[in-house]
């Protein structure tokens, strides 16, 4: 159907779309660190939760993007495994562990996403669209604290997932540049951008989780 | 030096192969790896056994015929060299060496360590050329001025010997580095611009038809390429392909 290059490009573009979303998600979550008892965080979260454009246009696009990226990842992995039925007895190539195991880090992220949906998204959908409760613009910060304050297991799982997410993003972003044909080996700035971006996401989300683990 | 060899033996395309153990003694450190296999084969022939089949031709790193995976690495442990340029001084007395063929569905094993790499020929035939008018009005290639940076890039890409180590190294058996090099070789030259769109479209189509895997940018192809062809050529291939769809 599609050529191998088109599939790579679609994978790259859906990945870049999700990376932009992650940056936006981190920016909103960082407001939970403001010393204003969660007022800013509550205001933005309420806006995101009840704005029709966000809820009925952007959210479905995001969910489609997530599904597309994962399904495409599985399709590519299946096709790639099929391309070498007869395996090596001994194969030791010079490439990074992360680049060879994107499907593994992707599966961890998928499992994490299920947990994250269970923690925040499903209760939110239940609150709004199943029980039809009145909007409460003050509940978001409280929910966040409830999930992390003193919750060692959840905080640890989140932090491990964020580290793997960072590794996945680092290879994913630099790989995306290559896939859409804008990579240039002599221009190391794109590689640096991938490292900086993945560090910001990984460290930023981990810091927020750890902060709320200790501070109430 | 004395060595233990674990070599893939396979009677033909249809048979299932297996690793067989061989002991070899008194190997000189200055012998090439292929000479070591020649000595092994001489011993096998003398004892009435079938010699190990392996590909070789120029034995000076130019033709790309030699194609062994040595201790898990295509063309062995040294960077930027072919199997025929590998010498036994790279190993120690008593070492065990695994020798396997290049693997991938698109490179089926013909016998022992010999694989069928005609898939590369078919990709090349699909567009890896420039059409030249030979009716008497042939223009001397040197008469067309080419900027030095472009000429250098084309020359670097043209260094690909089509050995298939990129496919053998890639966890997905992807041929993107080979196709990238062949497309880039012409894309950087004015002579190649005329057929650029057809070239990239047809070569990628043939590559997919041959059953090579998708590139996931692990960089193993570049790391194991005996001519150190850069993955920049893959980015160039992607760019050429996307532009061919837009134009």
């Amino acid at each position: 159907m599609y050529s191998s290059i088109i599939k790579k490009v679609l994978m790259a573009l859906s990945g870049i779309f999700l990376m932009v979303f992650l940056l936006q998600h981190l920016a909103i979550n960082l407001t939970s660190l403001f010393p204003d008892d969660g007022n800013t965080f509550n205001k933005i979260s309420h806006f995101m939760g009840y704005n029709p454009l966000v809820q009925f246009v952007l959210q479905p696009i995001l969910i489609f993007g997530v599904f597309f990226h994962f399904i495409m990842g599985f399709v590519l992995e299946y096709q790639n495994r099929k391309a070498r039925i007869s395996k090596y007895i001994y194969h030791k190539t010079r490439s990074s562990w992360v680049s060879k195991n994107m499907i593994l880090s992707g599966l961890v992220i998928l499992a994490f996403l299920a947990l994250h949906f269970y923690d925040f998204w499903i209760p939110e959908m239940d609150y709004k669209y199943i029980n039809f409760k009145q909007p409460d613009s003050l509940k978001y910060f409280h929910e966040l604290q409830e999930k992390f304050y003193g919750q060692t297991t959840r905080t640890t799982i989140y932090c491990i997932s964020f580290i793997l997410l960072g590794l996945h993003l680092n290879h994913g972003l630099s790989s995306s540049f290559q896939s859409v044909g804008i990579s240039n080996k002599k221009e190391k700035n794109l590689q640096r951008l991938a490292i900086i971006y993945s560090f910001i996401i990984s460290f930023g989300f981990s810091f927020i989780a750890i902060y709320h683990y200790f501070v109430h | 030096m004395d060595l233990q060899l674990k070599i893939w033996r396979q009677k033909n395309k249809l048979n299932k192969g297996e690793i067989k153990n061989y002991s070899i003694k008194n190997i000189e450190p200055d012998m090439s790896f292929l000479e070591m296999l020649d000595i092994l084969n001489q011993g096998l022939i003398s004892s009435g056994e079938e010699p190990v089949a392996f590909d070789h031709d120029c034995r000076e790193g130019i033709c790309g015929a030699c194609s062994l995976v040595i201790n898990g690495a295509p063309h062995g442990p040294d960077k930027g060299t072919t199997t025929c340029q590998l010498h036994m001084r790279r190993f120690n007395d008593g070492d065990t060496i695994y020798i396997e063929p290049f693997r991938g569905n698109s490179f089926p094993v013909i016998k022992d360590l010999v694989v069928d790499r005609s898939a590369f020929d078919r990709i090349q035939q699909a567009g890896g050329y420039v059409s030249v008018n030979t009716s008497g009005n042939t223009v001397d290639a040197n008469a067309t001025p080419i900027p030095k940076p472009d000429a250098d890039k084309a020359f670097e890409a043209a260094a690909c010997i089509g050995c298939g180590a990129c496919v053998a190294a890639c966890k997905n058996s992807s041929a993107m580095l080979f196709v990238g090099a062949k497309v880039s070789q012409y894309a950087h030259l004015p002579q190649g611009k005329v057929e650029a769109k057809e070239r990239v479209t047809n070569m990628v189509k043939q590559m997919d038809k041959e059953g090579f895997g998708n590139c996931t940018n692990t960089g193993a192809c570049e790391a194991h390429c005996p001519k150190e062809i850069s993955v920049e050529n893959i980015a160039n291939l992607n760019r050429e392909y996307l532009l061919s769809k837009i134009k």
Side-chain angles (χ1 to χ4, degrees):
Chain A
M1 194 174 67
Y2 291 116
S3 75
S4 52
I5 293 179
I6 294 294
K7 280 185 270 187
K8 266 163 54 105
V9 170
L10 290 174
M11 192 68 185
L13 293 178
S14 61
I16 290 171
F17 167 70
L18 295 176
M19 287 178 208
V20 172
F21 162 74
L22 275 177
L23 212 53
Q24 175 261 167
H25 194 336
L26 176 68
I28 292 172
N29 283 19
L30 281 172
T31 62
S32 72
L33 305 178
F34 289 1
D36 61 354
D37 292 330
N39 272 338
T40 313
F41 181 73
N42 276 334
K43 272 182 195 164
I44 297 174
S45 301
H46 187 71
F47 170 80
M48 298 298 280
Y50 285 90
N51 183 286
L53 181 71
V54 176
Q55 282 297 294
F56 304 115
V57 180
L58 296 181
Q59 187 167 256
I61 292 173
L62 176 66
I63 292 169
F64 173 78
V66 170
F67 273 104
F68 180 85
H69 193 71
F70 276 110
I71 291 168
M72 201 69 183
F74 289 128
V75 168
L76 289 174
E77 181 68 16
Y78 171 72
Q79 288 176 344
N80 292 340
R81 281 175 185 251
K82 224 174 57 173
R84 182 178 287 139
I85 293 169
S86 175
K87 306 287 178 203
Y88 286 105
I89 305 294
Y90 184 9
H91 201 214
K92 197 179 167 189
T93 53
R94 302 178 199 116
S95 51
S96 70
W97 182 89
V98 179
S99 70
K100 286 189 285 188
N101 291 283
M102 286 294 275
I103 192 73
L104 196 67
S105 52
L107 281 169
V108 173
I109 294 163
L110 185 62
F112 164 74
L113 212 56
L115 174 69
H116 191 55
F117 270 40
Y118 174 78
D119 280 346
F120 294 99
W121 192 74
I122 292 171
E124 178 71 5
M125 293 298 112
D126 182 57
Y127 186 92
K128 284 190 298 196
Y129 303 121
I130 294 171
N131 289 319
F132 297 107
K133 288 186 182 172
Q134 286 300 308
D136 178 4
S137 62
L138 302 174
K139 72 183 175 82
Y140 303 99
F141 187 67
H142 176 66
E143 274 176 4
L144 187 69
Q145 286 184 319
E146 198 182 54
K147 291 281 190 262
F148 288 103
Y149 184 67
Q151 300 288 330
T152 310
T153 310
R154 180 179 282 110
T155 309
T156 308
I157 291 171
Y158 268 64
C159 288
I160 291 169
S161 304
F162 292 144
I163 291 167
L164 275 162
L165 175 67
L167 295 172
H168 191 87
L169 291 173
N170 182 26
H171 178 71
L173 188 54
S174 57
S175 184
S176 302
F177 293 135
Q178 175 88 355
S179 295
V180 297
I182 56 170
S183 182
N184 184 337
K185 205 182 172 189
K186 292 182 184 78
E187 178 58 71
K188 291 280 180 195
N189 288 343
L190 295 176
Q191 305 289 336
R192 283 193 203 108
L193 178 68
I195 293 170
I196 292 167
Y197 171 81
S198 55
F199 177 77
I200 288 172
I201 294 292
S202 184
F203 179 78
F205 278 118
S206 299
F207 183 80
I208 293 165
I210 293 167
Y211 177 85
H212 289 296
Y213 174 77
F214 287 111
V215 182
H216 198 278
Chain B
M1 59 176 78
D2 298 344
L3 300 161
Q4 293 297 317
L5 303 176
K6 288 181 177 288
I7 303 177
W8 183 262
R9 302 301 308 261
Q10 188 170 330
K11 209 169 182 181
N12 56 44
K13 219 177 208 179
L14 304 171
N15 273 56
K16 205 180 165 202
E18 60 178 344
I19 288 281
K20 285 207 169 167
N21 298 321
Y22 297 93
S23 293
I24 190 163
K25 293 182 188 302
N26 302 322
I27 294 298
E28 293 293 326
D30 290 335
M31 277 179 186
S32 77
F33 197 83
L34 295 185
E35 283 169 340
M36 182 274 292
L37 286 178
D38 289 338
I39 287 173
L40 173 77
N41 276 346
Q42 200 56 52
L44 291 173
I45 292 165
S46 302
S47 59
E49 287 182 61
E50 183 82 11
V52 177
F54 63 93
D55 258 336
H56 60 100
D57 191 6
C58 74
R59 297 204 177 199
E60 52 186 7
I62 298 169
C63 71
C66 52
S67 55
L68 305 178
V69 174
I70 301 159
N71 281 344
H75 291 301
D78 289 339
K79 281 193 84 176
T81 55
T82 52
T83 298
C84 62
Q85 294 171 301
L86 176 65
H87 287 80
M88 296 314 293
R89 54 181 169 267
R90 193 67 175 73
F91 301 92
N92 299 313
D93 185 36
D95 274 1
T96 298
I97 306 173
Y98 281 82
I99 309 170
E100 291 182 72
F102 282 3
R103 293 193 191 277
N105 294 358
S106 309
F107 284 176
V109 174
I110 298 169
K111 187 178 182 182
D112 296 338
L113 303 170
V114 181
V115 296
D116 178 2
R117 286 172 282 178
S118 59
F120 271 13
D121 297 336
R122 290 187 289 276
I123 294 173
Q124 188 77 358
Q125 284 159 9
Y129 52 80
V130 285
S131 301
V132 176
N133 186 344
T134 54
S135 61
N137 302 317
T138 314
V139 179
D140 184 346
N142 292 323
T144 309
I146 298 166
K148 180 78 165 60
D150 291 346
D152 285 348
K153 279 183 182 174
F155 196 80
E156 281 167 21
C160 169
I161 53 176
C163 65
C166 45
V167 176
C170 177
K171 76 179 187 74
N172 311 321
S173 305
S174 171
M176 290 282 280
L177 191 64
F178 167 75
V179 180
K182 297 301 170 195
V183 165
S184 300
Q185 173 184 338
Y186 297 110
H188 291 301
L189 299 176
Q191 291 92 336
K193 301 265 187 232
V194 184
E195 294 158 304
K197 189 177 172 180
E198 291 77 16
R199 177 180 304 112
V200 71
T201 305
N202 294 339
M203 289 182 85
V204 169
K205 193 176 170 187
Q206 188 63 34
M207 175 184 78
D208 290 344
K209 196 176 161 189
E210 297 290 347
F212 291 102
N214 304 292
C215 171
T216 49
N217 303 312
T218 67
C221 50
E222 180 188 288
H224 290 273
C225 174
K227 296 297 160 189
E228 298 182 306
I229 303 292
S230 167
V231 289
E232 199 179 329
N233 290 297
I234 298 180
N236 194 47
L237 168 68
N238 296 336
R239 192 163 57 242
E240 285 283 320
Y241 187 82
L242 293 173
L243 287 174
S244 79
K245 296 290 165 204
I246 297 164
K247 278 178 188 171

